[in-house]
């Protein structure tokens, strides 16, 4: 390869990277409504199980746990999927199937019995488990895909700005969804309308994911390590195991009350979906304003010190309640 062709290749790689970064932001903005609805705690899901189909608290807690169960189970499929297709293909395929589950929910909602909580719980629980399983696969493969093509030197600053834009998207969705559900008194067509809107935007997101001209920035083509060897490497990584233990304890503590936060606002405080959406947007607005700064600090100081400081500040504000 002569100098001219090498220069042309370098310029093309840079152009592809810039276009991929722009599409990554755009597709994330379009994906956030459906991604937010897929979380165990959000205005849409809480209104669904407290207003449209009132379920017992124990059932709500069980349904809220399904995404975490699905996230654990995907570990057993991840290595096989990685051998099947590249992360980008797995991401788009799983996300497309996940979109299909939401379209299916829109179709079956009128047929879910509103006067039979046990039957409604079975319908919604089965659907949410399948949807959560596909979401877990899409999320993990998306992280692997991002690792392939986003240079490490850009990640903190880029994702700080990207996440700020995504927070604005989430904020807008929470307000619109909360207003629509409250305006039509939590009727099934209102939920179907919100699903249709989020699904429509997700189609654009999936198209831009697939059209993104991403390129690996690290050598590829090496034979994959056997699964047993990979497990051995993980088990010998003591800092990683400590981080996993921290995450497990933290998640257990936060999720003891997290799934019922919105339930409390609906049932005990008497908030409407719009009011819950407004409260939720305050945290999204704070994130949108602060995440670019956090991203720059990550690039400058690294993940660990920034996480320690932000966690300490988070706990300090919690102690003031």
């Amino acid at each position: 390869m002569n100098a001219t062709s090498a220069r042309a290749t370098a310029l093309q790689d840079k152009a592809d990277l810039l276009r991929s970064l722009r599409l990554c932001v755009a597709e994330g903005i379009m994906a956030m409504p459906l991604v937010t609805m897929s979380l165990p705690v959000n205005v849409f899901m809480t209104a669904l199980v407290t207003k449209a189909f009132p379920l017992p608290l124990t059932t709500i807690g069980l349904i809220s746990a399904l995404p975490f169960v699905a996230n654990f189970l995907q570990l057993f499929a991840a290595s096989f999927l990685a051998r099947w297709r590249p992360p980008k293909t797995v991401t788009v395929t799983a996300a497309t199937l996940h979109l299909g589950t939401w379209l299916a929910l829109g179709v079956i909602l009128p047929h879910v019995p509103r006067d039979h909580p046990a039957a409604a719980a079975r319908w919604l629980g089965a659907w949410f488990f399948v949807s959560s399983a596909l979401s877990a696969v899409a999320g993990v493969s998306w992280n692997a895909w991002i690792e392939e093509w986003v240079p490490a030197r850009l990640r903190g600053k880029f994702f700080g700005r990207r996440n700020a834009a995504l927070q604005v998207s989430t904020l807008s969705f929470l307000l619109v969804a909360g207003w629509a559900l409250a305006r039509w008194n939590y009727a099934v067509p209102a939920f179907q309308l919100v699903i249709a809107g989020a699904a429509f935007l997700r189609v654009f997101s999936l198209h831009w994911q697939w059209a993104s001209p991403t390129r690996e920035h690290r050598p590829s083509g090496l034979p994959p390590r056997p699964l047993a060897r990979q497990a051995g490497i993980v088990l010998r990584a003591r800092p990683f195991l400590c981080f996993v233990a921290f995450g497990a304890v933290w998640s257990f503590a936060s999720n003891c009350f997290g799934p019922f936060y919105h339930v409390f606002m609906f049932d005990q405080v008497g908030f409407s979906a719009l009011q819950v959406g407004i409260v939720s947007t305050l945290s999204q607005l704070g994130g949108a304003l602060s995440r670019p700064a956090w991203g720059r600090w990550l690039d400058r100081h690294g993940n660990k010190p920034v996480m320690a400081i932000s966690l300490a500040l988070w706990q300090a504000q919690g102690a003031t309640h």
Side-chain angles (χ1 to χ4, degrees):
M1 181 180 294
N2 57 39
T4 302
S5 60
R7 176 178 173 79
T9 300
L11 291 175
Q12 184 62 49
D13 287 348
K14 182 178 180 179
D16 287 344
L17 175 61
L18 293 175
R19 182 164 184 259
S20 296
L21 293 174
R22 288 194 295 268
L23 288 176
C24 187
V25 175
E27 70 86 9
I29 291 172
M30 293 297 192
M32 283 313 294
L34 197 68
V35 170
T36 301
M37 288 163 57
S38 303
L39 298 174
V41 181
N42 65 84
V43 172
F44 180 91
M45 284 299 299
T46 305
L48 186 68
V49 299
T50 60
K51 298 295 186 179
F53 304 93
L55 300 180
L57 291 179
T58 52
T59 304
I60 294 175
L62 178 62
I63 291 177
S64 299
L66 293 177
F68 303 99
V69 175
N71 199 43
F72 171 75
L73 293 178
Q74 66 82 28
L75 292 173
F76 301 99
S79 61
F80 300 102
L81 292 174
R83 295 169 187 266
W84 172 62
R85 287 291 188 274
K88 178 180 179 179
T89 303
V90 176
T91 298
V92 177
T93 301
T96 302
L97 294 174
H98 175 254
L99 170 60
T101 64
W102 277 94
L103 294 175
L105 177 65
V107 173
I108 68 173
L109 267 184
H111 306 287
V112 178
R114 303 188 71 170
D115 56 349
H116 197 317
R122 287 193 295 270
W123 276 83
L124 296 176
W127 163 80
F128 198 44
F129 176 74
V130 174
S131 179
S132 297
L134 292 169
S135 178
V137 172
V140 172
S141 57
W142 184 86
N143 284 326
W145 178 34
I146 290 299
E147 285 280 340
E148 280 189 348
W149 66 271
V150 179
R153 69 182 185 279
L154 301 178
R155 288 176 192 164
K157 183 177 181 179
F158 168 69
F159 283 106
R161 293 179 176 178
R162 180 182 186 270
N163 291 342
L166 267 56
Q167 295 284 68
V168 175
S169 173
T170 304
L171 182 153
S172 303
F173 166 73
L174 291 173
L175 290 176
V176 172
W179 172 82
L181 295 175
R183 173 67 177 78
W184 284 284
N185 199 28
Y186 312 103
V188 167
F191 287 93
Q192 291 176 306
L193 179 64
V194 173
I195 292 172
F200 177 75
L201 295 177
R202 185 56 162 155
V203 170
F204 288 94
S205 169
L206 292 171
H207 170 70
W208 288 333
Q209 278 189 345
W210 189 251
S212 179
T214 56
R215 295 171 183 249
E216 294 186 5
H217 71 272
R218 60 187 182 189
S220 60
L222 298 176
R225 295 187 180 95
L227 184 59
R229 186 179 176 187
Q230 295 181 44
I233 294 173
V234 170
L235 293 175
R236 289 192 297 271
R238 184 176 177 83
F240 174 74
L241 295 178
C242 291
F243 182 74
V244 170
F246 160 77
V249 173
W250 175 260
S251 295
F252 176 81
S254 63
N255 285 294
C256 282
F257 66 88
F260 303 102
Y261 184 57
H262 285 172
V263 175
F264 172 77
M265 286 192 284
F266 272 113
D267 289 347
Q268 304 299 319
V269 183
F271 280 2
S272 68
L274 177 58
Q275 290 171 315
V276 174
I278 292 173
V279 172
S280 300
T281 58
L282 295 177
S283 64
Q284 302 296 328
L285 180 61
L289 295 175
S290 64
R291 291 201 178 200
W294 286 117
R296 288 192 293 271
W297 290 335
L298 283 171
D299 285 335
R300 181 176 300 178
H301 304 291
N303 293 319
K304 189 174 180 179
V306 173
M307 285 179 63
I309 293 173
S310 59
L311 184 61
L313 292 175
W314 188 16
Q315 293 307 294
Q317 65 85 26
T320 62
H321 293 342

